[in-house]
Amino acid sequence: MISISKTFNGFVIIVPIIVGAYLSGMVYLAEGASIPFTIFQVALVVGVFTFMFRKIASRDLSFSFYGLEMEYLLFLTLIFISLIYSPERGEGLFKVTRYIVLIGLTYIIYNSINTVQELRKICYAVIAISVIIAIQNLIDSYLNPEVAAFNYINQGNKIIRARGTEADPNIFASNFIMPIMLLIALMGEAKNVKERVFYFALNGLIIGSVLLTYSRSSWVAIFIGAMIIILVQRKYSFLTYSLIILVLAVIGSESIRNIIFSVADRVVDIFAGTSDDSSRFRLILLETAILMWLDSYTFGVGYQGFSTMFQNYYPPQEVGGVFEPHNEYYTVLAELGLIGFVVFMFLLWKIVKTGWNTLKAYNAQGYSTSIPLGLFASFIAYLVFFQFLGGMQLHSILTINIGLLFCASKFVNTEEDSDSALQTEPVA
C-alpha cells in the first residue's frame, strides 16, 4: 500500500516552492497585469494544497508551531495600527498581506519536513538550482564581453550589473547567499580533497555570478557569513583555495587584475559617504529616517509610508530620484516607531538565538553541523545585507531560510526526534 506521507513528503512539497522562488521574475504568467503571477506564487499555492491533501489523506491534522507566534502577532498588530495613519494604506495593506503569506510559508516548511535526511536533500536542491541559475548568468555575461569592458572603464561609478531577470541586481545577488553558506559549511566537513574541490568548484560558479552583479551589500554579507562558518568550524580550506585561485588569476590575466581592483574599490565605497552618489544617498536616507521618527513623536509615519514622507524632506531631483529606503532597520524605526523597532529586533534576536542553540545542540550530540551552520550563517548574512537595502519582510529566499533553520532546530528539541532523525548523521 502506498504511504501518503512518504509519497507527498517534505521534499516533494517544498522543493518546487524553492525552485519557484529562485525562478521568480523569470516567467510572469500574467505579465502586464496589476498583480503579475510568478512561478513562485503558483508553486506556493500548489505546495499549500499538497500539504493540506497530505494532512487530510493521512488523517493527521496536527500542526506544529516553532515559538515566534506572539512576536509575529504583536508585530503585525503594530503594522495594522500604523495603517490607520499611513499615507500609503493601500500599498501597506497589500504588502502586509504578502508578509503574512510568507510567515505562513515558514510554518508549511516547518510542518512538511520531518527528518534530517529530507532537510539535507532540500538544501542540496537549493544548491542545485542556484548553480544552474549562476551558470546561465555567467554564460550571458560571457556572451556580452562589452559589459565587462564598460564596467572596468567606469570603475564602478556607472556600471551595467548582472541581475538575471530580477529588477534589482542586489536582490538577485542576495538570492545566492544561502547556497554559498551551505557549500562553505559542507566544504569544511568534507572527508577528502576530492569532495572539498567539488564543493569549492560549485561555489566558485555561484560566487562568480554574484561578483558580476557588483552588489557590494551582498559581497559584504557573504564575507561575514563565510567568516562565521570558518571561525566556528576552524577549517580554512575555503580561504586557502580561494587565495590560490586569486593569486593564479591575478598572475595569469591583466583583465582579471583590473576587475579585482574595480571590485575592491566598490567594496571600500560602501562605507564612504562621498565617494559616489550611492553612498551619499544612503546617508541622506538614514538622516531623514531619524527625522521622520522624531517628527512623528517616535510613533512612526505608518507602514510603507517611508518613500512618500521622504519626498516631503527631499524632492526627488535633489537625490537623483532615490527615495526608497536602503536599510531595513531604520525603515522599521521610521515607519513603525520605537515600539515597532524594538519588537522587530526582538523577533530577529529570537531567530538568531534559536539558530545558535540549534548549532550547539547538534555539536553537543556529535552530529553533522554543516546544514544548521550553513543556514545560521546565511541568516546572519541576510541581517548584514539588509543593512544596505530594504524589503527584508518580503524576501522569499530569506523566508525559506528561516523555515529551514527552524526545521533544523526541531530535530534536537525532543529526545525522540534526536534519536530517530539524527542517528544516520555522524560528523564527517
Side-chain angles (χ1 to χ4, degrees), residues 44 48 63 66 99-109 399:
L44 180 57
V48 170
F63 194 85
Y66 54 73
Y99 183 41
I100 292 172
V101 170
L102 289 177
I103 291 174
L105 173 59
T106 64
Y107 285 97
I108 295 296
I109 293 173
T399 299

Side-chain angles (χ1 to χ4, degrees), residues 85 292-293 296-302 332-338:
Y85 54 84
M292 288 185 199
W293 173 58
S296 63
Y297 303 100
T298 74
F299 287 104
V301 298
V332 172
L333 179 66
E335 293 183 348
L336 300 181
L338 183 60

Side-chain angles (χ1 to χ4, degrees), residues 361-375:
Y362 272 71
N363 188 59
Q365 296 182 29
Y367 297 110
S368 170
T369 60
S370 57
I371 297 301
L373 176 57
L375 295 172

Side-chain angles (χ1 to χ4, degrees), residues 374-419:
L375 295 172
F376 173 74
S378 176
F379 181 73
I380 297 296
Y382 274 117
L383 295 184
V384 174
F385 174 77
F386 285 104
Q387 290 278 351
F388 311 106
L389 207 71
M392 175 190 286
Q393 298 158 38
L394 303 181
H395 196 288
S396 58
I397 305 300
L398 172 59
T399 299
I400 292 169
N401 190 167
I402 294 172
L404 294 177
L405 183 59
F406 275 100
C407 276
S409 72
K410 76 177 183 178
F411 299 126
V412 288
N413 283 341
T414 66
E415 183 178 352
E416 179 182 356
D417 283 334
S418 300
D419 292 341

Side-chain angles (χ1 to χ4, degrees), residues 65-85:
F65 299 90
Y66 54 73
L68 291 184
E69 294 72 45
M70 291 303 298
E71 289 78 7
Y72 282 138
L73 183 60
L74 180 56
F75 189 60
L76 289 171
T77 299
L78 292 172
I79 289 176
F80 280 109
I81 291 174
S82 76
L83 286 177
I84 297 173
Y85 54 84

Side-chain angles (χ1 to χ4, degrees), residues 122-302:
I122 289 171
C123 289
Y124 289 152
V126 170
I127 294 171
I129 186 61
S130 300
V131 170
I132 292 172
I133 295 174
I135 291 174
Q136 179 186 3
N137 193 50
L138 290 171
I139 292 174
D140 290 342
S141 299
Y142 177 78
L143 295 177
N144 293 278
E146 66 276 5
V147 173
F150 179 87
N151 290 341
Y152 168 64
I153 292 172
N154 287 277
Q155 291 294 307
N157 293 319
K158 183 179 181 181
I159 57 177
I160 301 173
R161 302 195 280 179
R163 57 185 177 87
T165 52
E166 286 282 358
D168 188 341
N170 294 295
I171 296 298
F172 177 72
S174 72
N175 289 342
F176 293 115
I177 289 177
M178 182 164 54
I180 290 174
M181 296 302 110
L182 288 170
L183 282 167
I184 295 174
L186 288 168
M187 185 178 176
E189 282 194 355
K191 299 177 181 178
N192 51 57
V193 174
K194 184 182 295 186
E195 286 187 15
R196 285 194 290 271
V197 171
F198 175 71
Y199 289 135
F200 182 78
L202 293 180
N203 225 351
L205 293 172
I206 300 176
I207 292 175
S209 185
V210 171
L211 289 176
L212 290 175
T213 65
Y214 276 80
S215 172
R216 297 171 294 180
S217 48
S218 294
W219 296 344
V220 173
I222 289 170
F223 174 78
I224 292 177
M227 292 307 299
I228 290 174
I229 295 174
I230 291 169
L231 292 175
V232 170
Q233 289 185 330
R234 297 183 181 180
K235 301 289 181 64
Y236 306 98
S237 55
F238 177 75
L239 284 180
T240 302
Y241 287 19
S242 298
L243 183 60
I244 292 173
I245 294 298
L246 181 63
V247 170
L248 292 176
V250 169
I251 294 175
S253 172
E254 182 178 357
S255 298
I256 292 179
R257 284 198 297 271
N258 294 331
I259 292 174
I260 289 173
F261 290 139
S262 178
V263 168
D265 184 61
R266 290 280 293 171
V267 172
V268 172
D269 281 349
I270 198 172
F271 299 105
T274 58
S275 235
D276 60 18
D277 287 341
S278 176
S279 300
R280 181 167 59 87
F281 293 155
R282 289 175 189 275
L283 289 180
I284 293 175
L285 288 164
L286 170 61
E287 294 169 358
T288 309
I290 296 175
L291 291 176
M292 288 185 199
W293 173 58
L294 294 174
D295 290 344
S296 63
Y297 303 100
T298 74
F299 287 104
V301 298

